[in-house]
Amino acid sequence: MEEKRFQKRDEGFVCRKCGRAVPPNGVTSRDHCPSCLHSIHVDLFPGDRKNPCGGLLVPVSAAPHPKKGFQIFYRCEKCGKTHVNKAALTGTEPDDMNEIIRLTAKPMEE
Ligand SMILES: [Zn+2]
Ligand SMILES: [Zn+2]
């Protein structure tokens, strides 16, 4: 069961890293770019858009999730905080699996 604070917020956006016009996913919340996997630091809890930071979230590592496919670990370029997103493996334009696999080879450094 997902907690209620995990709001679904499925919106298209233009990726600030690679410039790709990313459409809404349709199945899950679109919170990162499917090509380069970068995201923007806008949530305190997923979907709430309550974080004033707005920095670029750089994917640093990925790992298989016991129930949900993969999770991607981020570090914010601006404030240095870490963040985790669920990989979007279904829906419109799912994540680039090669990028995710490439990230799983990288250890999460603290
Ligand atoms: Zn991108
Ligand atoms: Zn930040």
Side-chain angles (χ1 to χ4, degrees):
M1 292 294 278
E2 294 237 323
E3 289 186 56
K4 280 284 177 257
R5 71 183 190 201
F6 283 64
Q7 300 171 45
K8 186 168 150 78
R9 182 87 64 130
D10 190 20
E11 292 164 346
F13 62 92
V14 175
C15 176
R16 252 165 58 186
K17 179 67 180 176
C18 70
R20 175 168 176 172
V22 181
N25 177 269
V27 175
T28 182
S29 295
R30 177 74 82 189
D31 50 19
H32 54 275
C33 173
S35 298
C36 68
L37 306 180
H38 282 66
S39 185
I40 302 296
H41 202 192
V42 290
D43 293 344
L44 292 175
F45 294 109
D48 68 6
R49 300 296 190 267
K50 292 224 170 88
N51 195 321
C53 173
L56 187 69
L57 285 175
V58 181
V60 289
S61 183
H65 188 284
K67 291 192 214 104
K68 299 171 184 165
F70 282 88
Q71 41 190 181
I72 305 168
F73 301 95
Y74 292 90
R75 175 152 308 173
C76 179
E77 202 175 58
K78 194 169 162 193
C79 72
K81 287 216 176 78
T82 54
H83 186 80
V84 184
N85 273 339
K86 223 181 0 160
L89 303 177
T90 55
T92 308
E93 301 194 20
D95 292 352
D96 185 339
M97 203 57 204
N98 292 327
E99 275 299 305
I100 294 174
I101 297 295
R102 197 176 62 76
L103 283 173
T104 59
K106 292 189 176 183
M108 178 70 185
E109 357 94 29
E110 264 317 314

